[in-house]
Amino acid sequence: MSIHIEAKQGQIADKILLPGDPLRAKFIAENFLEDAECFNTVRNMFGYTGTYKGHRVSVMGTGMGMPSISIYARELIVYYGVKKLIRVGTAGSINPDVHVRELVLAQAAATNSNIIRNDWPEYDFPQIADFGLLDKAYHIAKELGMTTHVGNVLSSDVFYSNMADRNISLGKLGVHAIEMEAAALYYLAAQHGVQALGIMTISDSLVNPEEDTTAEERQNTFTDMMKVGLETLIAE
């Protein structure tokens, strides 16, 4: 048992999906996993373990932002031995060619956070995905016929940013979307020698706002990233 996760040893699989929304974790467990059992309710950050196509898999919410995912991902890695971690969350497009409901695989994550810079002030330490997971996820998504973009995202510390126009301008440099967790997850993976990937569904667009979705749609209907995430976790 760790500080924020009440699971006993052995209750969490060595591969896990990490949605930000704990209710999305519940949705995944109820709709994709067999014999799912809840292993965490602390702070209503629900976590479940079950089987997917005969493979033992877990799913757990992480909350919003890099400080929150850093707590849960670190405890999962250090205390529970998780080796493969895939974030399945939402992101806002800043590229006119990246549309709502399409997938973004975060090959790398730029960030305006100091969470990495505090440890490495003399370097711009790059936050990159595990290539093995990235390669598998891309081919799985393409085989399933899903519109999928691979590239850079911005992991922001601020949702309601006073630098919105500046952030949007990153789209001209090939950055696909803004989200709030991937950079911290990738940094933790690098620190502990585990595999991590961010698979995001575009839920809204800063450049095409007429495409935006509702909160209920974001919680319950973005199943493409869930399917790709699960298939990637169990792929050999």
Side-chain angles (χ1 to χ4, degrees):
M1 187 180 298
S2 63
I3 296 174
H4 302 92
I5 304 172
E6 62 189 348
K8 297 180 174 64
Q9 291 299 315
Q11 287 188 297
I12 302 177
D14 65 354
K15 39 189 170 286
I16 194 166
L17 289 188
L18 298 174
D21 185 351
L23 291 179
R24 188 179 294 130
K26 185 174 185 287
F27 178 87
I28 293 170
E30 292 176 346
N31 290 275
F32 289 94
L33 301 186
E34 295 182 358
D35 302 319
E37 295 185 359
C38 183
F39 63 75
N40 190 69
T41 60
V42 176
R43 296 175 181 247
N44 285 331
M45 196 59 72
F46 304 127
Y48 304 84
T49 297
T51 58
Y52 179 75
K53 295 185 176 180
H55 296 262
R56 194 162 179 265
V57 173
S58 294
V59 57
M60 182 177 176
T62 65
M64 290 188 285
M66 284 177 272
S68 186
I69 195 173
S70 293
I71 290 170
Y72 293 106
R74 187 186 186 281
E75 292 185 15
L76 288 166
I77 294 165
V78 173
Y79 294 104
Y80 295 99
V82 178
K83 302 298 183 186
K84 291 183 181 179
L85 305 94
I86 296 182
R87 163 167 156 67
V88 283
T90 55
S93 172
I94 53 174
N95 188 311
D97 296 324
V98 180
H99 299 283
V100 165
R101 298 189 181 280
E102 296 177 348
L103 297 186
V104 171
L105 306 183
Q107 182 177 16
T111 186
N112 55 21
S113 173
N114 284 327
I115 201 164
I116 296 116
R117 198 170 296 117
N118 286 339
D119 288 349
W120 301 95
E122 68 273 40
Y123 301 112
D124 287 326
F125 189 90
Q127 310 312 311
I128 59 173
D130 176 80
F131 180 75
L133 293 181
L134 177 67
D135 183 55
K136 290 170 184 172
Y138 175 75
H139 285 96
I140 288 167
K142 297 302 285 186
E143 287 171 7
L144 292 172
M146 299 171 184
T147 302
T148 305
H149 307 269
V150 179
N152 208 348
V153 300
L154 170 64
S155 296
S156 178
D157 259 345
V158 184
F159 187 88
Y160 296 108
S161 175
N162 292 325
M163 300 289 289
D165 292 340
R166 184 71 169 157
N167 291 341
I168 291 171
S169 69
L170 289 172
K172 298 175 183 178
L173 302 180
V175 179
H176 291 317
I178 298 178
E179 56 88 64
M180 300 185 71
E181 289 84 22
L185 178 62
Y186 290 179
Y187 182 48
L188 281 165
Q191 283 182 294
H192 296 283
V194 299
Q195 296 175 280
L197 175 65
I199 303 175
M200 272 73 80
T201 300
I202 298 300
S203 60
D204 58 281
S205 175
L206 282 72
V207 290
N208 297 308
E210 69 280 0
E211 297 181 357
D212 291 0
T213 57
T214 67
E216 184 177 359
E217 287 178 301
R218 290 191 290 273
Q219 178 182 305
N220 295 327
T221 68
F222 291 165
T223 57
D224 283 355
M225 66 180 173
M226 302 171 192
K227 295 173 186 174
V228 174
L230 288 166
E231 291 290 337
T232 302
L233 282 179
I234 69 172
E236 299 298 332

